[in-house]
Amino acid sequence: MAGSSPSDNPDSYAALDVLTSAVVILDEQACVVHANTAAQALMDFSLKNVRGQRFAALFSNGEVIDALYHEAREQRFSNKRLDFELERSGHEPLQLHVIVTVLLDDPSTPVVLEMQEIDQQLRQNREERILEQSEANRELVRNLAHEVKNPLGGIRGAAQLLESELATPELREYTQVIIKESDRLQSLVDRLLAPQRRPHIVAELNIHEVCERVRSVVLAEYPRGLVIDRDYDTSLPEVQGDKEQLIQALLNITRNAAQALEERIRQGDGRISLCTRVARQSTIAKTRHRLALELHVIDNGPGIPEDIKDRIFFPLVSGRAGGSGLGLTLAQTFVQQHQGVIECESRAGRTEFTILLPLQ
Ligand SMILES: Nc1ncnc2c1ncn2[C@@H]1O[C@H](COP(=O)(O)OP(=O)(O)O)[C@@H](O)[C@H]1O
Ligand SMILES: [Mg+2]
């Protein structure tokens, strides 16, 4: 093969078609030289249409590919594994695990991308981890909250007694601090213990009524600069659930999104989408359900801060000054009490929280 490269002879790629991994080979301009059958199926294009095209240009967030390609070309690695999401208009986003290999000795086909869809199994593992973590967390928080709650009443009562005995009224300033701070702690502790309430499954409810309520509350809080799109699947059946809890869960998520969007809201282009879908045969919290509901809350904000990304569902974890770090803990608990789970994907420019609830 001296002096020629496989790209001169398309048949030399035939072997790639037996692979289940999607393989895309890019040339020195980051254009597609070859995409195997699995890649064409995964990305829903034909080789004929994409050969010679810049691969990154096929996706609305192609910059992730460009960045990776440049890193590869600068030979900052010879082989790299990572996960990313590719978006194309009119298609579901693809969650991919990607292995990038740089072919240093073949200048005409410098970069090979091997891609596998991050499948149900992986999602399931992640959900199970969230579930176990949040159970352990709840236990810890419950115990801690009780330990704090017990002496609080005593402290407050003693401060009140002391106050009534004070000779100089100016000293009340100090007893008032004790009383006020005890009250603040009391309400924090109450909020930590609140999710222990069992959901009142009163009736069948329409999830879109929940969405509409939350939408109007958040829009009332942000009357200007924020658009909340709705993309509802109106064929969704009713859900068995506690309406107040589901409203609270969705409100916490949506309000977080609005808070993250504050900069954009100031500029007038804050956007949140509420999107509902039916999912068939999905596994939620270890149980397989024939039918489930997906409720997506997507915002175009800056993304979840990297340093707290893995812990946002933990109590008291907050990325905001003055945040309590309880909003998502509470939302997750409420949804779990409905045998559901909340998941999250986030990067700069797009954060998506998904509430999954079993229907059948
Ligand atoms: N849509 C979002 N975009 C960016 N960051 C978010 C988003 N939702 C949640 N977060 C981050 O997660 C943190 C935890 O949220 P939460 O549990 O509601 O607590 P709090 O809102 O009191 O901080 C937030 O402080 C924020 O940093
Ligand atoms: Mg919050």
Side-chain angles (χ1 to χ4, degrees), residues 252-253 256-257 259-260 299 302-305 308 312 314 317-320 322-329 346 351 353:
N252 289 2
I253 293 172
N256 279 347
Q259 284 164 344
D299 70 69
I304 297 168
I308 58 167
I312 47 167
F314 290 9
V317 171
S318 174
R320 295 187 297 120
S324 70
L326 292 178
L328 289 176
T329 311
S346 177
T351 297
F353 280 83

mmCIF file of all heavy atoms in Angstrom, residues 252-253 256-257 259-260 299 302-305 308 312 314 317-320 322-329 346 351 353, ligand 1:
data_model
loop_
_atom_site.group_PDB
_atom_site.id
_atom_site.type_symbol
_atom_site.label_atom_id
_atom_site.label_comp_id
_atom_site.label_asym_id
_atom_site.label_seq_id
_atom_site.Cartn_x
_atom_site.Cartn_y
_atom_site.Cartn_z
ATOM 1 N N ASN A 252 -39.409 23.461 41.848
ATOM 2 C CA ASN A 252 -38.021 23.586 42.306
ATOM 3 C C ASN A 252 -37.047 23.507 41.138
ATOM 4 O O ASN A 252 -36.080 24.263 41.066
ATOM 5 C CB ASN A 252 -37.692 22.499 43.336
ATOM 6 C CG ASN A 252 -38.402 22.739 44.664
ATOM 7 O OD1 ASN A 252 -39.164 23.679 44.806
ATOM 8 N ND2 ASN A 252 -38.149 21.883 45.632
ATOM 9 N N ILE A 253 -37.312 22.587 40.221
ATOM 10 C CA ILE A 253 -36.417 22.420 39.074
ATOM 11 C C ILE A 253 -36.500 23.630 38.146
ATOM 12 O O ILE A 253 -35.494 24.173 37.694
ATOM 13 C CB ILE A 253 -36.789 21.133 38.299
ATOM 14 C CG1 ILE A 253 -36.494 19.905 39.160
ATOM 15 C CG2 ILE A 253 -36.053 21.059 36.978
ATOM 16 C CD1 ILE A 253 -37.015 18.612 38.562
ATOM 17 N N ASN A 256 -34.984 26.794 39.662
ATOM 18 C CA ASN A 256 -33.516 26.729 39.549
ATOM 19 C C ASN A 256 -33.072 27.165 38.165
ATOM 20 O O ASN A 256 -32.095 27.889 38.008
ATOM 21 C CB ASN A 256 -33.013 25.292 39.761
ATOM 22 C CG ASN A 256 -32.908 24.923 41.228
ATOM 23 O OD1 ASN A 256 -32.973 25.777 42.098
ATOM 24 N ND2 ASN A 256 -32.757 23.640 41.475
ATOM 25 N N ALA A 257 -33.799 26.655 37.149
ATOM 26 C CA ALA A 257 -33.437 26.992 35.769
ATOM 27 C C ALA A 257 -33.535 28.502 35.580
ATOM 28 O O ALA A 257 -32.629 29.136 35.030
ATOM 29 C CB ALA A 257 -34.345 26.250 34.793
ATOM 30 N N GLN A 259 -33.334 30.800 37.847
ATOM 31 C CA GLN A 259 -32.276 31.475 38.595
ATOM 32 C C GLN A 259 -30.944 31.381 37.841
ATOM 33 O O GLN A 259 -30.179 32.344 37.807
ATOM 34 C CB GLN A 259 -32.148 30.850 39.998
ATOM 35 C CG GLN A 259 -33.281 31.314 40.908
ATOM 36 C CD GLN A 259 -33.434 30.444 42.150
ATOM 37 O OE1 GLN A 259 -32.904 29.333 42.220
ATOM 38 N NE2 GLN A 259 -34.168 30.942 43.128
ATOM 39 N N ALA A 260 -30.709 30.221 37.232
ATOM 40 C CA ALA A 260 -29.461 30.058 36.473
ATOM 41 C C ALA A 260 -29.459 30.966 35.245
ATOM 42 O O ALA A 260 -28.410 31.327 34.722
ATOM 43 C CB ALA A 260 -29.282 28.603 36.052
ATOM 44 N N ASP A 299 -33.063 24.296 29.878
ATOM 45 C CA ASP A 299 -32.798 25.742 29.850
ATOM 46 C C ASP A 299 -31.528 26.038 29.071
ATOM 47 O O ASP A 299 -30.693 25.161 28.866
ATOM 48 C CB ASP A 299 -32.731 26.306 31.281
ATOM 49 C CG ASP A 299 -31.493 25.860 32.037
ATOM 50 O OD1 ASP A 299 -30.389 26.297 31.668
ATOM 51 O OD2 ASP A 299 -31.629 25.080 32.999
ATOM 52 N N PRO A 302 -26.083 28.744 31.834
ATOM 53 C CA PRO A 302 -24.640 28.458 31.801
ATOM 54 C C PRO A 302 -24.255 27.037 32.187
ATOM 55 O O PRO A 302 -23.094 26.664 32.056
ATOM 56 C CB PRO A 302 -24.082 29.437 32.840
ATOM 57 C CG PRO A 302 -25.223 29.651 33.783
ATOM 58 C CD PRO A 302 -26.471 29.592 32.958
ATOM 59 N N GLY A 303 -25.207 26.244 32.649
ATOM 60 C CA GLY A 303 -24.870 24.871 33.052
ATOM 61 C C GLY A 303 -24.576 24.800 34.542
ATOM 62 O O GLY A 303 -24.336 25.813 35.192
ATOM 63 N N ILE A 304 -24.595 23.594 35.055
ATOM 64 C CA ILE A 304 -24.353 23.387 36.486
ATOM 65 C C ILE A 304 -22.867 23.511 36.767
ATOM 66 O O ILE A 304 -22.059 22.936 36.040
ATOM 67 C CB ILE A 304 -24.878 22.008 36.915
ATOM 68 C CG1 ILE A 304 -26.388 21.973 36.712
ATOM 69 C CG2 ILE A 304 -24.520 21.698 38.356
ATOM 70 C CD1 ILE A 304 -26.982 20.617 36.812
ATOM 71 N N PRO A 305 -22.502 24.276 37.789
ATOM 72 C CA PRO A 305 -21.074 24.425 38.089
ATOM 73 C C PRO A 305 -20.399 23.053 38.229
ATOM 74 O O PRO A 305 -20.934 22.165 38.884
ATOM 75 C CB PRO A 305 -21.073 25.171 39.433
ATOM 76 C CG PRO A 305 -22.415 25.831 39.522
ATOM 77 C CD PRO A 305 -23.364 25.016 38.716
ATOM 78 N N ILE A 308 -19.916 21.069 41.601
ATOM 79 C CA ILE A 308 -21.008 20.467 42.384
ATOM 80 C C ILE A 308 -21.866 19.532 41.534
ATOM 81 O O ILE A 308 -22.848 18.971 42.005
ATOM 82 C CB ILE A 308 -21.923 21.536 43.043
ATOM 83 C CG1 ILE A 308 -22.530 22.468 41.983
ATOM 84 C CG2 ILE A 308 -21.188 22.311 44.109
ATOM 85 C CD1 ILE A 308 -23.672 23.307 42.547
ATOM 86 N N ILE A 312 -25.517 17.610 43.143
ATOM 87 C CA ILE A 312 -26.611 18.580 43.260
ATOM 88 C C ILE A 312 -27.847 18.038 43.961
ATOM 89 O O ILE A 312 -28.626 18.807 44.496
ATOM 90 C CB ILE A 312 -27.047 19.165 41.892
ATOM 91 C CG1 ILE A 312 -27.202 18.044 40.890
ATOM 92 C CG2 ILE A 312 -26.090 20.224 41.409
ATOM 93 C CD1 ILE A 312 -27.917 18.495 39.641
ATOM 94 N N PHE A 314 -27.775 16.209 46.569
ATOM 95 C CA PHE A 314 -27.493 16.064 48.007
ATOM 96 C C PHE A 314 -28.029 17.278 48.757
ATOM 97 O O PHE A 314 -27.988 18.391 48.241
ATOM 98 C CB PHE A 314 -25.983 15.971 48.264
ATOM 99 C CG PHE A 314 -25.346 14.701 47.790
ATOM 100 C CD1 PHE A 314 -26.040 13.795 47.012
ATOM 101 C CD2 PHE A 314 -24.040 14.411 48.135
ATOM 102 C CE1 PHE A 314 -25.438 12.624 46.574
ATOM 103 C CE2 PHE A 314 -23.430 13.242 47.705
ATOM 104 C CZ PHE A 314 -24.129 12.357 46.920
ATOM 105 N N VAL A 317 -26.268 21.183 49.274
ATOM 106 C CA VAL A 317 -25.310 21.502 48.210
ATOM 107 C C VAL A 317 -25.941 22.573 47.328
ATOM 108 O O VAL A 317 -27.006 22.366 46.752
ATOM 109 C CB VAL A 317 -24.966 20.265 47.355
ATOM 110 C CG1 VAL A 317 -24.139 20.664 46.133
ATOM 111 C CG2 VAL A 317 -24.224 19.241 48.197
ATOM 112 N N SER A 318 -25.279 23.729 47.267
ATOM 113 C CA SER A 318 -25.827 24.840 46.505
ATOM 114 C C SER A 318 -24.714 25.567 45.780
ATOM 115 O O SER A 318 -23.606 25.675 46.299
ATOM 116 C CB SER A 318 -26.539 25.809 47.454
ATOM 117 O OG SER A 318 -26.957 26.943 46.737
ATOM 118 N N GLY A 319 -25.010 26.043 44.591
ATOM 119 C CA GLY A 319 -24.026 26.832 43.856
ATOM 120 C C GLY A 319 -24.365 28.310 43.899
ATOM 121 O O GLY A 319 -23.730 29.114 43.247
ATOM 122 N N ARG A 320 -25.409 28.653 44.665
ATOM 123 C CA ARG A 320 -25.855 30.052 44.699
ATOM 124 C C ARG A 320 -25.604 30.638 46.072
ATOM 125 O O ARG A 320 -25.817 29.961 47.080
ATOM 126 C CB ARG A 320 -27.362 30.145 44.447
ATOM 127 C CG ARG A 320 -27.797 29.717 43.094
ATOM 128 C CD ARG A 320 -29.266 30.011 42.894
ATOM 129 N NE ARG A 320 -30.123 29.272 43.820
ATOM 130 C CZ ARG A 320 -30.940 29.814 44.699
ATOM 131 N NH1 ARG A 320 -31.026 31.126 44.801
ATOM 132 N NH2 ARG A 320 -31.682 29.057 45.476
ATOM 133 N N GLY A 322 -26.676 32.235 49.153
ATOM 134 C CA GLY A 322 -28.000 32.293 49.762
ATOM 135 C C GLY A 322 -28.886 31.114 49.431
ATOM 136 O O GLY A 322 -30.028 31.045 49.858
ATOM 137 N N GLY A 323 -28.372 30.157 48.658
ATOM 138 C CA GLY A 323 -29.171 28.974 48.341
ATOM 139 C C GLY A 323 -29.210 28.029 49.537
ATOM 140 O O GLY A 323 -28.270 27.983 50.329
ATOM 141 N N SER A 324 -30.304 27.279 49.665
ATOM 142 C CA SER A 324 -30.403 26.348 50.796
ATOM 143 C C SER A 324 -29.870 24.969 50.411
ATOM 144 O O SER A 324 -29.542 24.157 51.257
ATOM 145 C CB SER A 324 -31.860 26.201 51.220
ATOM 146 O OG SER A 324 -32.577 25.488 50.219
ATOM 147 N N GLY A 325 -29.815 24.705 49.119
ATOM 148 C CA GLY A 325 -29.370 23.377 48.694
ATOM 149 C C GLY A 325 -30.376 22.290 49.001
ATOM 150 O O GLY A 325 -30.039 21.113 49.045
ATOM 151 N N LEU A 326 -31.634 22.681 49.203
ATOM 152 C CA LEU A 326 -32.652 21.676 49.528
ATOM 153 C C LEU A 326 -33.638 21.436 48.378
ATOM 154 O O LEU A 326 -34.345 20.438 48.368
ATOM 155 C CB LEU A 326 -33.452 22.109 50.767
ATOM 156 C CG LEU A 326 -32.683 22.116 52.080
ATOM 157 C CD1 LEU A 326 -33.566 22.611 53.210
ATOM 158 C CD2 LEU A 326 -32.162 20.722 52.391
ATOM 159 N N GLY A 327 -33.645 22.373 47.419
ATOM 160 C CA GLY A 327 -34.653 22.305 46.353
ATOM 161 C C GLY A 327 -34.642 20.977 45.605
ATOM 162 O O GLY A 327 -35.682 20.328 45.435
ATOM 163 N N LEU A 328 -33.472 20.555 45.160
ATOM 164 C CA LEU A 328 -33.395 19.337 44.357
ATOM 165 C C LEU A 328 -33.523 18.087 45.223
ATOM 166 O O LEU A 328 -34.044 17.068 44.767
ATOM 167 C CB LEU A 328 -32.087 19.306 43.561
ATOM 168 C CG LEU A 328 -32.004 20.315 42.415
ATOM 169 C CD1 LEU A 328 -30.638 20.276 41.756
ATOM 170 C CD2 LEU A 328 -33.095 20.034 41.381
ATOM 171 N N THR A 329 -33.050 18.173 46.460
ATOM 172 C CA THR A 329 -33.206 17.029 47.375
ATOM 173 C C THR A 329 -34.690 16.734 47.555
ATOM 174 O O THR A 329 -35.146 15.592 47.471
ATOM 175 C CB THR A 329 -32.606 17.370 48.761
ATOM 176 O OG1 THR A 329 -31.313 17.906 48.565
ATOM 177 C CG2 THR A 329 -32.522 16.139 49.633
ATOM 178 N N SER A 346 -26.019 18.260 31.862
ATOM 179 C CA SER A 346 -25.777 19.696 31.793
ATOM 180 C C SER A 346 -24.437 20.028 31.162
ATOM 181 O O SER A 346 -23.451 19.343 31.377
ATOM 182 C CB SER A 346 -25.826 20.276 33.212
ATOM 183 O OG SER A 346 -25.521 21.641 33.184
ATOM 184 N N THR A 351 -29.006 22.851 29.856
ATOM 185 C CA THR A 351 -29.159 21.988 31.023
ATOM 186 C C THR A 351 -30.526 21.349 30.935
ATOM 187 O O THR A 351 -31.509 22.015 30.640
ATOM 188 C CB THR A 351 -29.028 22.802 32.324
ATOM 189 O OG1 THR A 351 -27.721 23.351 32.374
ATOM 190 C CG2 THR A 351 -29.254 21.925 33.557
ATOM 191 N N PHE A 353 -33.129 18.738 32.933
ATOM 192 C CA PHE A 353 -33.565 17.859 34.015
ATOM 193 C C PHE A 353 -34.725 17.031 33.481
ATOM 194 O O PHE A 353 -35.593 17.563 32.783
ATOM 195 C CB PHE A 353 -34.031 18.674 35.225
ATOM 196 C CG PHE A 353 -32.889 19.176 36.073
ATOM 197 C CD1 PHE A 353 -32.210 20.329 35.724
ATOM 198 C CD2 PHE A 353 -32.488 18.478 37.205
ATOM 199 C CE1 PHE A 353 -31.144 20.790 36.498
ATOM 200 C CE2 PHE A 353 -31.431 18.924 37.978
ATOM 201 C CZ PHE A 353 -30.761 20.087 37.624
HETATM 202 N N1 LIG B 1 -30.836 24.543 35.614
HETATM 203 C C1 LIG B 1 -29.704 24.753 36.320
HETATM 204 N N2 LIG B 1 -28.634 25.377 35.755
HETATM 205 C C2 LIG B 1 -27.506 25.586 36.452
HETATM 206 N N3 LIG B 1 -27.304 25.195 37.724
HETATM 207 C C3 LIG B 1 -28.320 24.569 38.343
HETATM 208 C C4 LIG B 1 -29.562 24.306 37.685
HETATM 209 N N4 LIG B 1 -30.372 23.653 38.549
HETATM 210 C C5 LIG B 1 -29.663 23.523 39.695
HETATM 211 N N5 LIG B 1 -28.438 24.072 39.574
HETATM 212 C C6 LIG B 1 -27.384 24.113 40.615
HETATM 213 O O1 LIG B 1 -27.725 23.181 41.624
HETATM 214 C C7 LIG B 1 -27.704 23.822 42.889
HETATM 215 C C8 LIG B 1 -28.623 23.118 43.841
HETATM 216 O O2 LIG B 1 -29.983 23.412 43.587
HETATM 217 P P1 LIG B 1 -31.051 23.295 44.750
HETATM 218 O O3 LIG B 1 -30.958 21.927 45.345
HETATM 219 O O4 LIG B 1 -32.374 23.706 44.227
HETATM 220 O O5 LIG B 1 -30.533 24.316 45.838
HETATM 221 P P2 LIG B 1 -30.531 25.921 45.809
HETATM 222 O O6 LIG B 1 -31.394 26.354 44.671
HETATM 223 O O7 LIG B 1 -31.063 26.335 47.123
HETATM 224 O O8 LIG B 1 -29.106 26.295 45.629
HETATM 225 C C9 LIG B 1 -28.049 25.263 42.573
HETATM 226 O O9 LIG B 1 -27.553 26.143 43.583
HETATM 227 C C10 LIG B 1 -27.326 25.480 41.245
HETATM 228 O O10 LIG B 1 -25.964 25.787 41.459
#
